[in-house]
Amino acid sequence: LLSKGGLKKRVTIIPLNKIDQTTLSADKIKAAKAAVGTRAALALSMVGYEPEIEAAIKYVFGKTMVCNDMEAAKVCALSAPNI
């Protein structure tokens, strides 16, 4: 597709064998839970995906926390140094 010009519009291709698949450490997730309880969760735990695209999903969502409210987000982002 790429070498023959078969793509008609712009796309972004993520090389799954080369991307950073790291996620937040268990310690940071535990610290967030201790600080705000169930008002925060790792975004990765909120999405469903096929195993073959796990690397891409971890790349996109692996270091992102989702908070229920602004106060929890402030605590996770600013107040807790271990998060």
Side-chain angles (χ1 to χ4, degrees), residues 16-72:
L16 297 178
N17 61 340
K18 305 252 189 236
I19 60 174
D20 178 22
Q21 298 182 46
T22 59
T23 61
L24 287 177
S25 69
D27 291 340
K28 290 187 179 199
I29 296 169
K30 186 177 178 180
K33 294 287 185 185
V36 297
T38 59
R39 297 185 304 158
L42 184 64
L44 185 62
S45 68
M46 303 175 119
V47 296
Y49 53 89
E50 297 295 324
E52 58 266 11
I53 62 167
E54 181 175 14
I57 299 299
K58 283 184 176 180
Y59 173 74
V60 173
F61 297 110
K63 295 181 181 177
T64 303
M65 295 292 292
V66 176
C67 298
N68 289 354
D69 54 64
M70 187 61 74
E71 194 58 38

